[in-house]
Amino acid sequence: MALVSLAEAKAQLDIQTTADDDELQRYIDALTAPIERYVGPVENREVAEDLEGRTTTLCLSSVPAVSLISIVPVLAGGQAIAVDTVHLDGAKGIVRRLDGGSFRGGLWTVTYTAGRGSVPPTIKVAALILLQHLWRTQYGAARGASGGTDDYDVNEPVVGWGYAIPNRVLQLLEPYRVPPGVA
């Protein structure tokens, strides 16, 4: 599932025909990766990762996390931990044992669902603005404001993002930004 539908994209771009549908769909499909690089998973997906257990918590790398599916040891002879015996802080990606025990004993494969369940309206608007910005790159100023320029001109780069992501998109995504080192 995409962050925006073809119909939403066409409405944002004021496109009435089907002539560009295939090309437009490629642009729609390309929106998820740059948005999720900044805010973490938006669309729900299953993630499995191996985490080293040394303390009473495990830290997931894809946040937000919606639910835990399983926690099983990588090493032979270990015993799986039932997901109903742990607490998941989904926003932070922290798994904590309810019995106060630790996850010591090596690596654990944690399988979980990461994402938000549905696309928050602000992220959807940011995706539509990003789509509009990227779509304009192939038509230049001809589709912009009078005078041949508009606020989609790229003359103030954002560090780490080059010229592909407009500041207005980053500002809309800011409340959903994942902490450094997480994505």
Side-chain angles (χ1 to χ4, degrees):
M1 180 179 202
L3 293 177
V4 299
S5 69
L6 181 60
E8 290 169 324
K10 290 172 81 168
Q12 179 75 15
L13 300 172
D14 293 324
I15 295 175
Q16 317 308 287
T17 68
T18 60
D20 295 320
D21 282 5
D22 290 339
E23 183 178 12
L24 184 54
Q25 188 61 54
R26 286 192 298 275
Y27 278 74
I28 292 167
D29 295 341
L31 295 174
T32 301
I35 298 255
E36 288 188 347
R37 176 179 178 222
Y38 198 71
V39 301
V42 176
E43 300 168 326
N44 282 1
R45 68 181 53 92
E46 188 173 299
V47 176
E49 62 182 315
D50 292 340
L51 302 171
E52 184 149 2
R54 293 185 178 182
T55 65
T56 59
T57 61
L58 294 172
C59 295
L60 307 176
S61 62
S62 292
V63 296
V66 178
S67 63
L68 293 169
I69 298 169
S70 66
I71 304 171
V72 297
V74 172
L75 302 175
Q79 186 172 352
I81 297 175
V83 295
D84 62 350
T85 64
V86 297
H87 170 72
L88 170 64
D89 180 336
K92 295 178 183 172
I94 296 174
V95 179
R96 181 171 281 114
R97 291 185 62 157
L98 293 173
D99 64 5
S102 72
F103 290 99
R104 291 192 185 127
L107 291 174
W108 297 88
T109 299
V110 180
T111 306
Y112 59 100
T113 302
R116 290 183 162 77
S118 62
V119 181
T122 305
I123 292 177
K124 184 175 287 286
V125 168
L128 288 167
I129 292 170
L130 178 57
L131 171 71
Q132 187 172 1
H133 172 74
L134 294 173
W135 189 253
R136 285 180 187 225
T137 62
Q138 64 182 349
Y139 295 104
R143 289 183 123 173
S146 62
T149 186
D150 62 17
D151 66 344
Y152 286 90
D153 279 350
V154 283
N155 49 22
E156 293 186 35
V158 176
V159 175
W161 289 92
Y163 295 102
I165 313 292
N167 285 335
R168 65 180 56 193
V169 171
L170 295 175
Q171 289 167 345
L172 286 169
L173 296 176
E174 185 62 32
Y176 299 95
R177 188 174 186 180
V178 294
V182 178

